[in-house]
Amino acid sequence: SNTMHGDDENELLKRITVDPSIFGGKPIIRGLRYTVYDILSYLAAGMSVAEILDDFPDLTEQDIQACLSFAADRDHQILVAAA
């Protein structure tokens, strides 16, 4: 199985950039015009990774993995802050 360890996850999270001049600072993928939220919403709507990659050829599987890692990481921070 392809379990992710801290180093891999940090590499993935480097793909996510936050630039106040793009989409008001929403987290986006590698400076492209896709927000993490866009990708997560496609997945939530039932699109497969393959379908997303087909629709958006400039994205990679690692980009989508990075979105998931980012979401998981942020949720964790929110839980910690709320505790």
Side-chain angles (χ1 to χ4, degrees), residues 11-80:
E11 280 305 306
L12 281 175
L13 290 173
K14 284 181 189 162
R15 291 172 173 267
I16 308 298
T17 52
V18 175
D19 179 342
S21 69
I22 304 172
F23 292 139
K26 285 186 183 145
I28 58 172
I29 301 163
R30 291 185 290 117
L32 300 169
R33 299 253 161 191
Y34 305 110
T35 68
V36 169
Y37 180 76
D38 289 337
I39 303 307
L40 295 175
S41 64
Y42 297 141
L43 290 168
M47 280 181 80
S48 69
V49 171
E51 286 172 324
I52 294 172
L53 296 179
D54 205 41
D55 281 357
F56 308 104
D58 44 353
L59 292 178
T60 69
E61 202 167 336
Q62 282 77 23
D63 292 329
I64 293 172
Q65 189 69 55
C67 291
L68 293 169
S69 291
F70 182 86
D73 191 60
R74 227 170 62 170
D75 287 346
H76 181 67
Q77 288 170 356
I78 290 165
L79 289 174
V80 169

